[in-house]
Amino acid sequence: MCGIVGFVGHQGDALTFLFEGLKRLEYRGYDSAGIALATNGAVALAKAQGKLAVLEPLLGTLPRGVPLGIGHTRWATHGRPTDLNAHPHTDCRGTIATVHNGIIENYQELRSELIAQGHTFVSDTDTEVIPHLLEAYGGDEDLLGAVREVERRLSGAYAFLAISAKQPDRIVAVRRSSPLIVGLGEGVNYVASDVGAFLPKTRRALVLENGDVALVTPDAVEIQTQEGALAHRAPFTVDWDIKQAERGGYAHFMLKEIMEQPDVWTDCLMGRVRGDHIEAGELGLPWSQRKNIRRIQIVAAGTAYHAGLVGKALMERLARIPVDVAVASEFRYQNPVLDPGTLVLAISQSGETADTLASVSLARQLGAPTYAVVNTVGSTLARESDYVVYTHAGPEIAVASTKAYTTQLLVLTMLALQLAAERGHARSDLVRALWSLPALGEQVLASLGKIVEMARRLATESDVFYVGRGIDYALAMEGQLKIKEIAYIHAEAYPAGELKHGTLALIEEGTPVVAIVTDRVMAEKTLSNILEVKARGAEVWAIVDAGLPQEWPVDHLIRLDLPDPLLSPALTALPLQLLAYWTAVHRGQDVDQPRNLAKSVTVE
Ligand code: F6R
């Protein structure tokens, strides 16, 4: 998703900061980038389609030592990724510049109105209406006043920054849904869509609330609410270790994030699991709510949805609470049946996924309590849900979600065990065993060296099936998404027992099938399904619990030392993630920033 960065100082080199800041936002995924500086009464602009390496040589045309500027990484929504559609966008006179995240829904009508008034548009974007409106409302004379007028005209979910070369001491920042954070320096302030952009410069920050308009000058941040009242947003210190946001010696962020999972599992369990009980208060959902739950409705997207599928199995089997799981983009338009006894549980790494946010907003309108399982502290989902629990996975930089997913699984496991205990189905054996997971994770990761070669074989394929039953099927769903998104191999997950009802017709000599077997109750059944595909010539990669007694007549075998199947999902995810990772590496793909994808999907 798009990234925003801004710099306003008494002095200093905005250009260097903005380019470095954009580099730190690269993980969000983008297809063009640009920078605008306010200099000598005009805006100096450099922007280009493609990665920052394409932009970098163009920066030579921009002046150094200018202390006001804004930058942007764009992920195309309105208009193709081109040089002209890249942000920043300017007004007709070239004195006002803006960068924008999100969508202006009524841009077509505004654009027609502005063209009728004589404004000239050069891009296909929705964004470009903003600088032209600012021009029309006198932004060069009073940027803040013009922004206030303009944001009354815009509908949609967005955030933007505006500068005017005629007022070179200020950035005006607007937040309507998409996140914006101000970094507080000495004689300089920064604005960004993500703290990571300014972390090397300052750890003091404040988060703009929805509806805020901020006037950011080198020494002050003046915030007005949507209604125009002055507001105070409490500064806080960002405690992320900058090292966490670096690759730590691994070739890719994704590999680093896979390998650090045992550590983040420790962070996730910390303070929440003590001996044979869960510290319920640490799960963020008060007893007054937990005791009323009759049904749970999980909403999420992509990988987080797959975590929800595992969560459903855990909560139904352990706590005997009925659980439905919905893809958020569907749920929000399904006119769902909700009531105060249905807990709507939203799962999200970023906490900014538009469909998930809309689902939670709908749930609240319908009177259902909302509870978010989120990784990003201070994210919109965390702030807009009634209750929140954080997964503590740390910043996840690779677009493909790995550690965020497995920490979601752990939080859902803790929740299921707590709800089970409160409903008279306590499993203190499982609670005690939770703390064995980080060490088991280390062991599993250490045992998976052979996956590199197994992936080399898979890398030559163009279609692959992932099969399993029960929780293993939910894991198969995640396995197939991982290989699709980073290795660009078409993949399909199937309940193993369902193959013979049609899909088995596709199995022929050499068809690759990844089978997952960790559920002891169904192992024999899944083995039969493996034999069915083997008999038709399939080449099988099997990921199995080493404790199972069966023989596995497969082509590539990964045996995992697993605890109870209800505690195993996060461990079983590890080989699935590594298989996708190494397959993508062998195919020479851009593992951390796969094509067409963004880390945070803040548009529908
Ligand atoms: C896949 C992936 C996506 C996200 C999905 C939801 O690896 O990362 O499928 O899981 O876009 O994002 P969040 O969790 O931020 O709501």
Side-chain angles (χ1 to χ4, degrees):
M1 192 46 57
C2 308
I4 282 180
V5 58
F7 177 107
V8 55
H10 287 301
Q11 53 192 25
D13 187 29
L15 180 55
T16 306
F17 169 80
L18 293 171
F19 190 65
E20 292 302 316
L22 291 179
K23 277 194 200 158
R24 284 187 289 275
L25 295 181
E26 277 198 291
Y27 72 90
R28 294 167 73 96
Y30 68 105
D31 46 42
S32 58
I35 287 176
L37 301 174
T39 171
N40 296 331
V43 163
L45 198 62
K47 54 188 198 171
Q49 179 196 346
K51 299 289 177 187
L52 289 172
V54 183
L55 178 67
E56 195 167 11
L58 308 180
L59 300 181
T61 61
L62 297 183
R64 295 272 159 184
V66 173
L68 175 64
I70 53 180
H72 192 261
T73 47
R74 173 174 190 256
W75 185 66
T77 54
H78 291 67
R80 292 165 54 78
T82 62
D83 290 354
L84 279 179
N85 285 339
H87 301 206
H89 289 284
T90 57
D91 65 332
C92 296
R93 293 180 295 215
T95 51
I96 292 172
T98 51
V99 289
H100 155 234
N101 284 357
I103 289 179
I104 310 293
E105 278 174 353
N106 58 338
Y107 81 102
Q108 271 167 327
E109 136 202 353
L110 292 169
R111 188 179 163 109
S112 307
E113 175 188 318
L114 287 157
I115 289 172
Q117 287 170 14
H119 290 263
T120 307
F121 281 73
V122 294
S123 79
D124 310 316
T125 63
D126 52 346
T127 307
E128 204 187 349
V129 297
I130 304 175
H132 288 287
L133 280 171
L134 287 171
E135 180 186 1
Y137 285 107
D140 275 337
E141 292 75 43
D142 174 9
L143 187 62
L144 178 62
V147 165
R148 295 250 50 153
E149 294 292 334
V150 168
E151 46 101 25
R152 273 191 265 279
R153 303 285 320 273
L154 304 177
S155 46
Y158 57 84
F160 71 83
L161 303 186
I163 57 170
S164 162
K166 303 288 184 193
Q167 294 167 76
D169 65 341
R170 61 194 54 205
I171 293 175
V172 180
V174 178
R175 177 178 182 178
R176 295 271 179 279
S177 291
S178 298
L180 273 186
I181 301 140
V182 181
L184 304 165
E186 299 290 329
V188 56
N189 283 317
Y190 314 92
V191 193
S193 48
D194 187 321
V195 282
F198 53 71
L199 220 44
K201 296 289 180 193
T202 181
R203 291 184 167 277
R204 287 187 64 236
L206 57 86
V207 180
L208 297 185
E209 304 252 332
N210 252 340
D212 283 356
V213 175
L215 173 64
V216 186
T217 57
D219 299 313
V221 183
E222 184 188 302
I223 298 169
Q224 295 177 9
T225 63
Q226 194 155 9
E227 294 71 38
L230 280 182
H232 175 72
R233 307 288 173 228
F236 65 99
T237 302
V238 183
D239 60 4
W240 279 6
D241 179 352
I242 190 83
K243 288 259 181 286
Q244 283 182 288
E246 294 170 359
R247 277 192 209 138
Y250 290 104
H252 298 98
F253 280 114
M254 182 176 175
L255 184 57
K256 169 185 173 282
E257 287 161 4
I258 291 173
M259 301 309 280
E260 71 193 16
Q261 285 177 101
D263 288 340
V264 300
W265 295 352
T266 301
D267 294 344
C268 181
L269 297 172
M270 192 79 75
R272 294 168 171 166
V273 182
R274 281 187 218 283
D276 62 1
H277 74 279
I278 306 283
E279 292 285 339
E282 298 297 317
L283 296 181
L285 189 65
W287 168 240
S288 57
Q289 282 299 333
R290 297 198 307 273
K291 73 176 173 17
N292 288 334
I293 300 173
R294 285 189 300 101
R295 195 181 134 231
I296 295 176
Q297 172 67 63
I298 296 178
V299 289
T303 288
Y305 167 74
H306 298 151
L309 295 175
V310 176
K312 168 183 164 74
L314 296 174
M315 285 184 277
E316 290 188 338
R317 291 190 203 180
L318 288 166
R320 308 305 296 155
I321 297 175
V323 181
D324 292 312
V325 193
V327 168
S329 56
E330 290 289 315
F331 179 82
R332 61 184 291 192
Y333 295 114
Q334 271 169 358
N335 195 9
V337 181
L338 297 176
D339 59 44
T342 302
L343 177 73
V344 172
L345 193 163
I347 308 172
S348 176
Q349 186 286 126
S350 62
E352 303 295 346
T353 301
D355 289 317
T356 309
L357 288 172
S359 299
V360 164
S361 160
L362 174 67
R364 294 189 70 179
Q365 280 167 33
L366 295 176
T370 55
Y371 176 46
V373 176
V374 189
N375 190 38
T376 309
V377 177
S379 59
T380 309
L381 183 63
R383 291 138 65 96
E384 293 190 353
S385 302
D386 298 317
Y387 309 102
V388 62
V389 56
Y390 290 109
T391 48
H392 297 323
E396 191 176 64
I397 308 293
V399 165
S401 187
T402 53
K403 61 178 183 167
Y405 168 68
T406 54
T407 51
Q408 286 161 357
L409 297 180
L410 293 199
V411 167
L412 293 169
T413 309
M414 288 186 273
L415 179 68
L417 287 166
Q418 179 59 25
L419 294 175
E422 288 164 354
R423 281 159 177 74
H425 313 295
R427 288 291 305 268
S428 41
D429 58 322
L430 295 185
V431 177
R432 268 194 305 275
L434 277 169
W435 268 115
S436 65
L437 289 178
L440 286 170
E442 297 282 3
Q443 281 170 31
V444 168
L445 287 170
S447 73
L448 290 177
K450 60 183 177 184
I451 275 198
V452 182
E453 283 315 306
M454 291 184 182
R456 199 182 295 282
R457 171 71 197 86
L458 201 55
T460 61
E461 297 292 338
S462 51
D463 297 281
V464 53
F465 286 100
Y466 280 69
V467 300
R469 286 167 173 255
I471 292 180
D472 292 332
Y473 170 54
L475 288 161
M477 297 275 283
E478 175 57 7
Q480 57 93 35
L481 179 64
K482 284 280 117 23
I483 206 151
K484 272 178 189 156
E485 66 176 326
I486 59 165
Y488 313 153
I489 292 179
H490 170 253
E492 189 174 345
Y494 234 76
E498 183 69 8
L499 283 171
K500 57 180 142 342
H501 297 289
T503 306
L504 202 57
L506 290 173
I507 306 292
E508 56 187 16
E509 202 56 40
T511 304
V513 176
V514 176
I516 303 159
V517 200
T518 67
D519 198 325
R520 286 162 205 169
V521 178
M522 284 182 283
E524 199 57 43
K525 306 275 180 205
T526 314
L527 175 58
S528 303
N529 303 133
I530 291 174
L531 293 174
E532 279 162 13
V533 295
K534 278 300 298 168
R536 285 152 183 90
E539 181 171 348
V540 176
W541 283 253
I543 297 170
V544 307
D545 179 353
L548 290 167
Q550 287 83 2
E551 294 287 320
W552 302 98
V554 297
D555 305 275
H556 314 273
L557 182 61
I558 297 165
R559 296 165 78 94
L560 305 176
D561 284 318
L562 297 176
D564 188 287
L566 296 181
L567 294 186
S568 297
L571 295 163
T572 311
L574 301 175
L576 292 168
Q577 294 166 350
L578 282 170
L579 189 62
Y581 171 80
W582 284 111
T583 304
V585 169
H586 292 318
R587 288 167 71 93
Q589 310 302 9
D590 187 350
V591 175
D592 283 338
Q593 288 177 34
R595 66 189 180 200
N596 306 339
L597 299 180
K599 183 67 185 162
S600 178
V601 186
T602 57
V603 292
E604 255 197 82

